[in-house]
Amino acid sequence: MDYTTLGKTGLKVSVAGLGCGGNSRLGLGTGRSEDEAIAIIRGAVDLGVNILDTAANYKTEDVVGKAIKPMDRESIVIATKSSFRKGGEFFTPEQVVASLENSLRELDTDYIDVFQLHAVPPKGYDHALNVLAPVLEREKEKGKIRHIGLTETSPNDHGHEMLQRAVHDPVWEVMMLGFNMMHQKARQKIFPHAIENNVGTLLMFVVRNIFSRDGYLADKMRELVAEGKVPAELAEGENPLDFLIHDGGATSLTDAAYRFVRHQPGVSVVLFGTGSQDHLRTNIQSIISPPLPEADVEKLHTLFGHLEGVGLDLPDRHGKS
Ligand SMILES: NC(=O)c1ccc[n+]([C@@H]2O[C@H](COP(=O)([O-])OP(=O)(O)OC[C@H]3O[C@@H](n4cnc5c(N)ncnc54)[C@H](OP(=O)(O)O)[C@@H]3O)[C@@H](O)[C@H]2O)c1
């Protein structure tokens, strides 16, 4: 495993982080048992992963708590989240504190390493900054939270409007954003500022459905060709990105997806979600592999650098973003 510093938190974290939400929810979202979910977490830790990302609304905090119970608590970085709104209403400070207390109970721990506000929309940012952040700072002083972060609502904020503001406000030590081979605008809009302000970044939507489900990418490419957004030849064939797979290049589409994002300056941790022991091993291997060949990275920048919002699906019916 490779390790890095998570921005101004100073935490030493693995570059591969286990996402405990998404459609897989450690396998609980795809019919696997709690024991199997615990085995995914322990398998990840055995392979050197030390950062686990969960949330109140994933309903996986208790499984994370059980999995890490026998481990040295200080060796694991737990990131979790309070929801930010219910229906049309933003959470009050009392609701966020209640969510924190519940997370501590579910995780069976005394502190959260990174406590995040979950899916903050652009129009909610003033509330996050002016009403909720001061409350989180108080909880930090009490020792219940070690560091404060927030996540964007990628499917509804393709242009990173919310994070373009947040990245300049010092209270946020960590931010989670969507970034992938066909959604690259963060290269200009977020990462240079995250580096400048020493903000740690966690990536989501790196693979999701578009780079993991048969036929999805080819369908999306035909749509983009029809809209005149990508060259026509990409509509031909069922594997439009197979130019990435060659000797010295990527070994598969998911390998390309993880390796492309991992080496982007400004990226701290690549989150990956899975319920499969095989995917666990291959994804970690991809995330710690060398960069894709420079010519392939350049081609991805040229072909897709102008796109926004590709591959940012909301979770399936049982998934939790
Ligand atoms: N707003 C937010 O705060 C927010 C939103 C989205 C995500 N997140 C966080 O980001 C994490 C990662 O997002 P994500 O779950 O969408 O993860 P992802 O890594 O982008 O994609 C995971 C999907 O790809 C499949 N997959 C993974 N590895 C594969 C492989 N090697 N080959 C084929 N299929 C593979 C998984 O299914 P299998 O189970 O079959 O492997 C799963 O359906 C989440 O768990 C969560 O912690 C946060």
Side-chain angles (χ1 to χ4, degrees):
M1 181 53 66
D2 295 328
Y3 296 86
T4 190
T5 304
L6 186 60
K8 57 189 155 186
T9 69
L11 292 167
K12 290 279 176 274
V13 289
S14 50
V15 295
L18 183 63
C20 305
N23 289 323
S24 296
R25 293 177 51 239
L26 300 167
L28 297 175
T30 52
R32 300 193 194 232
S33 67
E34 183 175 294
D35 283 349
E36 287 171 297
I38 288 174
I40 290 284
I41 297 168
R42 292 187 178 158
V45 173
D46 285 345
L47 292 170
V49 169
N50 76 345
I51 175 161
L52 309 172
D53 177 67
T54 181
N57 100 332
Y58 299 166
K59 306 282 179 245
T60 52
E61 289 176 313
D62 61 330
V63 177
V64 170
K66 286 177 192 164
I68 66 164
K69 197 68 197 161
M71 301 176 194
D72 169 13
R73 174 67 185 84
E74 289 286 323
S75 69
I76 303 291
V77 172
I78 299 179
T80 192
K81 317 183 187 81
S82 162
S83 297
F84 180 72
R85 60 180 164 178
K86 190 162 188 185
E89 300 292 315
F90 298 144
F91 263 33
T92 61
E94 293 73 24
Q95 284 172 302
V96 170
V97 172
S99 183
L100 167 63
E101 293 295 343
N102 195 57
S103 290
L104 291 168
R105 258 193 314 278
E106 291 284 317
L107 287 156
D108 194 10
T109 187
D110 299 329
Y111 66 93
I112 306 295
D113 298 273
V114 181
F115 194 73
Q116 308 158 99
L117 296 175
H118 197 165
V120 177
K123 68 174 188 312
Y125 183 65
D126 287 328
H127 181 74
L129 179 68
N130 300 323
V131 180
L132 300 182
V135 178
L136 297 180
E137 300 240 60
R138 279 202 293 281
E139 296 302 316
K140 193 172 161 183
E141 279 159 25
K142 291 183 206 162
K144 296 191 178 187
I145 294 175
R146 295 219 167 144
H147 303 284
I148 298 173
L150 80 181
T151 83
E152 67 177 6
T153 166
S154 309
N156 306 308
D157 182 9
H158 294 175
H160 307 289
E161 263 186 65
M162 187 281 291
L163 288 183
Q164 284 191 76
R165 291 185 59 196
V167 75
H168 296 292
D169 287 323
V171 65
W172 314 111
E173 301 168 85
V174 179
M175 49 190 46
M176 189 184 298
L177 69 152
F179 181 60
N180 70 44
M181 293 191 287
M182 296 178 68
H183 174 65
Q184 306 175 13
K185 282 288 174 72
R187 290 181 58 228
Q188 294 85 33
K189 292 184 173 179
I190 302 297
F191 296 129
H193 308 291
I195 293 170
E196 191 182 299
N197 299 326
N198 200 17
V199 179
T201 60
L202 308 178
L203 296 189
M204 56 185 167
F205 293 100
V206 173
V207 164
R208 201 70 165 188
N209 303 332
I210 191 167
F211 303 122
S212 69
R213 294 197 182 165
D214 285 347
Y216 190 120
L217 176 62
D219 286 348
K220 185 69 201 176
M221 215 56 102
R222 283 190 278 271
E223 213 180 277
L224 291 168
V225 167
E227 291 167 4
K229 292 183 175 166
V230 298
E233 62 263 27
L234 290 172
E236 294 158 16
E238 282 311 296
N239 300 301
L241 296 187
D242 59 2
F243 63 84
L244 295 170
I245 299 164
H246 58 87
D247 266 1
T251 55
S252 68
L253 189 56
T254 52
D255 181 58
Y258 286 121
R259 285 168 67 185
F260 173 75
V261 300
R262 153 76 175 91
H263 298 280
Q264 165 65 42
V267 169
S268 313
V269 173
V270 178
L271 294 175
F272 66 97
T274 190
S276 145
Q277 290 284 353
D278 278 350
H279 292 167
L280 174 71
R281 279 186 293 275
T282 52
N283 294 347
I284 290 175
Q285 189 51 53
S286 296
I287 294 169
I288 61 173
S289 287
L292 296 175
E294 221 175 290
D296 290 346
V297 173
E298 271 313 304
K299 193 161 175 182
L300 288 169
H301 289 165
T302 307
L303 285 173
F304 307 130
H306 59 291
L307 299 176
E308 232 175 43
V310 178
L312 311 181
D313 300 300
L314 287 164
D316 295 345
R317 200 160 58 86
H318 300 294
K320 303 276 184 183
S321 216

